[in-house]
Amino acid sequence: MAMTDNGTADIDPALIPQDIYDLYDEYCHGGMDRRSFLQAAAALTAGGAAMAQALLPRYAEAQTISFTDPRIKARYVTYASPGGTSGSMRGYLVAPSGAGRFPAVLVIHENRGLNPYIEDVARRLAAEGFLALAPDGLAPVGGYPGNDDDGRDLQAGLDQGKLRTDMLNSARHLKAHELSSGRLGATGFCWGGGTVNFLAVSLGAELLAAAPYYGAAAAAAGVPAIRAEIQAHFAENDPRINAMWPAYAAALAAQGVKHEGFTYAGTQHGFHNNSTPRYQEAAAKLAWDRTLALFRRTLA
């Protein structure tokens, strides 16, 4: 068994049983703490603890676009957020190099704040010509704390309605930004994917395109307000989220909302996140290519 530079086991993801992936999903969504996750995995199979440890994120491996990449300009910004957690928000704003106004995309994090993976996603978008803002929902309580366990606890402790208001205000701040063309899209992952669906309802015609990744569906009552084109991405092994899509798709169709849903064979929830072994390169690339094509077509 090889070891990574940070001392965790380097294990072929195909050798990890689905039961351990399921435990990791429960852990990621706050159903158990890290110690309970590792203990439960150890009880399942020989080597289970090492497999569980291998699933924990390695953010140093997630960077694909350096913050010094000459194609982009990145900085942290603060802005008002009335009705949110504290009335103020902070986010990671990344613009393409050069002058001009750019189509804008909001990037919404998972249930643990603005971690390095999400910052890298914002840089990826900027390198493709989009003005990207990745808000940190934890900014009013000190920001992403540097590890996912504490980040998850902090986010769970927030007033969820105010947290969503912070995301709504972030979208409107980005749309009105001096570097923005005013044409707005949004993408997000896990909690962020569900929040993208929420924003599609809340923003109505202000949002032109939405690409939620394995996110909870919008409430059926809100679907008539959606004007954005919806492109949803799902992992094959993600029954809780996947069960929401048929009714959501039917409601979108009934309202004449253009939409597509893609399920990627052999993948786990979180397959786009290249900091853990749940990452599936081919599926992540295909999903991302589709997302970029959506934004290029709708936000140009």
Short mmCIF file of all heavy atoms in Angstrom, two decimals, residues 246-272:
data_model
loop_
_atom_site.label_atom_id
_atom_site.label_comp_id
_atom_site.label_asym_id
_atom_site.label_seq_id
_atom_site.Cartn_x
_atom_site.Cartn_y
_atom_site.Cartn_z
N PRO A 246 -36.80 13.21 -10.91
CA PRO A 246 -37.95 13.01 -11.80
C PRO A 246 -39.08 14.01 -11.57
O PRO A 246 -39.62 14.57 -12.53
CB PRO A 246 -38.38 11.57 -11.50
CG PRO A 246 -37.12 10.90 -11.07
CD PRO A 246 -36.40 11.93 -10.26
N ALA A 247 -39.44 14.25 -10.33
CA ALA A 247 -40.52 15.20 -10.05
C ALA A 247 -40.10 16.62 -10.40
O ALA A 247 -40.91 17.41 -10.92
CB ALA A 247 -40.93 15.12 -8.58
N TYR A 248 -38.84 16.96 -10.13
CA TYR A 248 -38.34 18.29 -10.47
C TYR A 248 -38.35 18.48 -11.98
O TYR A 248 -38.81 19.51 -12.50
CB TYR A 248 -36.94 18.44 -9.89
CG TYR A 248 -36.31 19.81 -10.00
CD1 TYR A 248 -37.07 20.98 -10.05
CD2 TYR A 248 -34.92 19.94 -10.03
CE1 TYR A 248 -36.47 22.23 -10.12
CE2 TYR A 248 -34.31 21.19 -10.09
CZ TYR A 248 -35.09 22.33 -10.14
OH TYR A 248 -34.49 23.57 -10.22
N ALA A 249 -37.85 17.48 -12.72
CA ALA A 249 -37.82 17.57 -14.18
C ALA A 249 -39.23 17.70 -14.74
O ALA A 249 -39.47 18.47 -15.68
CB ALA A 249 -37.12 16.35 -14.76
N ALA A 250 -40.18 16.96 -14.16
CA ALA A 250 -41.56 17.05 -14.63
C ALA A 250 -42.14 18.43 -14.38
O ALA A 250 -42.86 18.99 -15.23
CB ALA A 250 -42.42 15.98 -13.94
N ALA A 251 -41.82 19.02 -13.23
CA ALA A 251 -42.31 20.36 -12.92
C ALA A 251 -41.68 21.40 -13.85
O ALA A 251 -42.37 22.34 -14.30
CB ALA A 251 -42.01 20.70 -11.46
N LEU A 252 -40.39 21.24 -14.15
CA LEU A 252 -39.74 22.15 -15.09
C LEU A 252 -40.37 22.03 -16.48
O LEU A 252 -40.64 23.04 -17.14
CB LEU A 252 -38.24 21.83 -15.17
CG LEU A 252 -37.42 22.15 -13.92
CD1 LEU A 252 -36.02 21.53 -14.03
CD2 LEU A 252 -37.29 23.65 -13.70
N ALA A 253 -40.62 20.80 -16.91
CA ALA A 253 -41.24 20.59 -18.22
C ALA A 253 -42.63 21.20 -18.28
O ALA A 253 -43.02 21.81 -19.30
CB ALA A 253 -41.30 19.09 -18.53
N ALA A 254 -43.38 21.07 -17.20
CA ALA A 254 -44.74 21.62 -17.17
C ALA A 254 -44.74 23.14 -17.30
O ALA A 254 -45.71 23.72 -17.80
CB ALA A 254 -45.43 21.20 -15.88
N GLN A 255 -43.66 23.77 -16.86
CA GLN A 255 -43.55 25.23 -16.95
C GLN A 255 -42.81 25.69 -18.21
O GLN A 255 -42.61 26.89 -18.41
CB GLN A 255 -42.82 25.77 -15.71
CG GLN A 255 -43.58 25.56 -14.43
CD GLN A 255 -44.92 26.28 -14.41
OE1 GLN A 255 -45.04 27.40 -14.89
NE2 GLN A 255 -45.93 25.64 -13.84
N GLY A 256 -42.40 24.74 -19.03
CA GLY A 256 -41.69 25.09 -20.25
C GLY A 256 -40.27 25.55 -20.02
O GLY A 256 -39.69 26.26 -20.87
N VAL A 257 -39.66 25.17 -18.89
CA VAL A 257 -38.29 25.54 -18.59
C VAL A 257 -37.33 24.58 -19.28
O VAL A 257 -37.45 23.36 -19.10
CB VAL A 257 -38.03 25.53 -17.07
CG1 VAL A 257 -36.56 25.85 -16.77
CG2 VAL A 257 -38.94 26.51 -16.35
N LYS A 258 -36.41 25.11 -20.05
CA LYS A 258 -35.44 24.25 -20.73
C LYS A 258 -34.55 23.59 -19.68
O LYS A 258 -34.02 24.28 -18.79
CB LYS A 258 -34.60 25.07 -21.70
CG LYS A 258 -33.73 24.22 -22.63
CD LYS A 258 -33.09 25.06 -23.72
CE LYS A 258 -32.28 24.19 -24.68
NZ LYS A 258 -31.65 25.00 -25.76
N HIS A 259 -34.38 22.28 -19.76
CA HIS A 259 -33.61 21.58 -18.73
C HIS A 259 -33.04 20.28 -19.28
O HIS A 259 -33.59 19.69 -20.22
CB HIS A 259 -34.48 21.29 -17.51
CG HIS A 259 -35.61 20.36 -17.80
ND1 HIS A 259 -36.77 20.75 -18.44
CD2 HIS A 259 -35.76 19.02 -17.56
CE1 HIS A 259 -37.58 19.72 -18.58
NE2 HIS A 259 -36.99 18.65 -18.06
N GLU A 260 -31.95 19.84 -18.66
CA GLU A 260 -31.34 18.55 -18.93
C GLU A 260 -30.82 17.99 -17.62
O GLU A 260 -30.40 18.74 -16.74
CB GLU A 260 -30.16 18.67 -19.90
CG GLU A 260 -30.49 19.06 -21.31
CD GLU A 260 -29.24 19.14 -22.17
OE1 GLU A 260 -28.44 20.07 -21.96
OE2 GLU A 260 -29.05 18.26 -23.04
N GLY A 261 -30.83 16.68 -17.51
CA GLY A 261 -30.23 16.01 -16.37
C GLY A 261 -29.30 14.91 -16.85
O GLY A 261 -29.70 14.10 -17.70
N PHE A 262 -28.10 14.89 -16.34
CA PHE A 262 -27.10 13.90 -16.75
C PHE A 262 -26.66 13.09 -15.54
O PHE A 262 -26.30 13.65 -14.50
CB PHE A 262 -25.88 14.59 -17.36
CG PHE A 262 -26.16 15.37 -18.61
CD1 PHE A 262 -26.27 16.75 -18.56
CD2 PHE A 262 -26.32 14.73 -19.83
CE1 PHE A 262 -26.53 17.50 -19.71
CE2 PHE A 262 -26.58 15.46 -20.99
CZ PHE A 262 -26.68 16.84 -20.92
N THR A 263 -26.69 11.77 -15.68
CA THR A 263 -26.21 10.87 -14.64
C THR A 263 -24.98 10.14 -15.17
O THR A 263 -25.00 9.61 -16.28
CB THR A 263 -27.30 9.86 -14.24
OG1 THR A 263 -28.44 10.58 -13.75
CG2 THR A 263 -26.80 8.93 -13.14
N TYR A 264 -23.92 10.13 -14.37
CA TYR A 264 -22.63 9.62 -14.83
C TYR A 264 -22.36 8.24 -14.23
O TYR A 264 -22.30 8.08 -13.01
CB TYR A 264 -21.53 10.63 -14.45
CG TYR A 264 -21.77 11.96 -15.13
CD1 TYR A 264 -22.61 12.92 -14.55
CD2 TYR A 264 -21.21 12.23 -16.37
CE1 TYR A 264 -22.87 14.12 -15.19
CE2 TYR A 264 -21.46 13.44 -17.02
CZ TYR A 264 -22.29 14.38 -16.44
OH TYR A 264 -22.56 15.57 -17.08
N ALA A 265 -22.26 7.26 -15.10
CA ALA A 265 -22.16 5.86 -14.69
C ALA A 265 -20.93 5.61 -13.81
O ALA A 265 -19.83 6.14 -14.07
CB ALA A 265 -22.10 4.96 -15.92
N GLY A 266 -21.13 4.83 -12.77
CA GLY A 266 -20.04 4.39 -11.92
C GLY A 266 -19.49 5.45 -10.99
O GLY A 266 -18.42 5.25 -10.40
N THR A 267 -20.20 6.57 -10.82
CA THR A 267 -19.68 7.66 -10.00
C THR A 267 -20.36 7.73 -8.64
O THR A 267 -21.46 7.23 -8.44
CB THR A 267 -19.88 9.01 -10.71
OG1 THR A 267 -21.28 9.19 -11.00
CG2 THR A 267 -19.09 9.07 -12.01
N GLN A 268 -19.65 8.41 -7.72
CA GLN A 268 -20.14 8.67 -6.37
C GLN A 268 -20.50 10.16 -6.25
O GLN A 268 -19.99 11.00 -6.99
CB GLN A 268 -19.05 8.35 -5.33
CG GLN A 268 -18.46 6.96 -5.44
CD GLN A 268 -19.41 5.88 -5.02
OE1 GLN A 268 -20.29 6.10 -4.19
NE2 GLN A 268 -19.24 4.68 -5.57
N HIS A 269 -21.37 10.46 -5.29
CA HIS A 269 -21.63 11.85 -4.92
C HIS A 269 -20.27 12.54 -4.69
O HIS A 269 -19.42 12.03 -3.99
CB HIS A 269 -22.45 11.86 -3.63
CG HIS A 269 -22.84 13.23 -3.16
ND1 HIS A 269 -24.09 13.75 -3.38
CD2 HIS A 269 -22.16 14.17 -2.49
CE1 HIS A 269 -24.17 14.95 -2.84
NE2 HIS A 269 -22.99 15.23 -2.30
N GLY A 270 -20.08 13.70 -5.31
CA GLY A 270 -18.81 14.40 -5.19
C GLY A 270 -17.80 14.05 -6.26
O GLY A 270 -16.62 14.40 -6.12
N PHE A 271 -18.23 13.43 -7.35
CA PHE A 271 -17.27 12.93 -8.35
C PHE A 271 -16.49 14.05 -9.04
O PHE A 271 -15.44 13.81 -9.62
CB PHE A 271 -17.96 12.06 -9.40
CG PHE A 271 -18.87 12.81 -10.35
CD1 PHE A 271 -18.37 13.44 -11.48
CD2 PHE A 271 -20.24 12.87 -10.12
CE1 PHE A 271 -19.20 14.13 -12.36
CE2 PHE A 271 -21.08 13.55 -10.98
CZ PHE A 271 -20.57 14.18 -12.10
N HIS A 272 -16.98 15.28 -8.98
CA HIS A 272 -16.25 16.38 -9.61
C HIS A 272 -15.09 16.88 -8.76
O HIS A 272 -14.17 17.53 -9.26
CB HIS A 272 -17.22 17.54 -9.90
CG HIS A 272 -16.60 18.69 -10.62
ND1 HIS A 272 -16.03 19.78 -9.98
CD2 HIS A 272 -16.45 18.94 -11.96
CE1 HIS A 272 -15.58 20.63 -10.87
NE2 HIS A 272 -15.81 20.14 -12.08
#
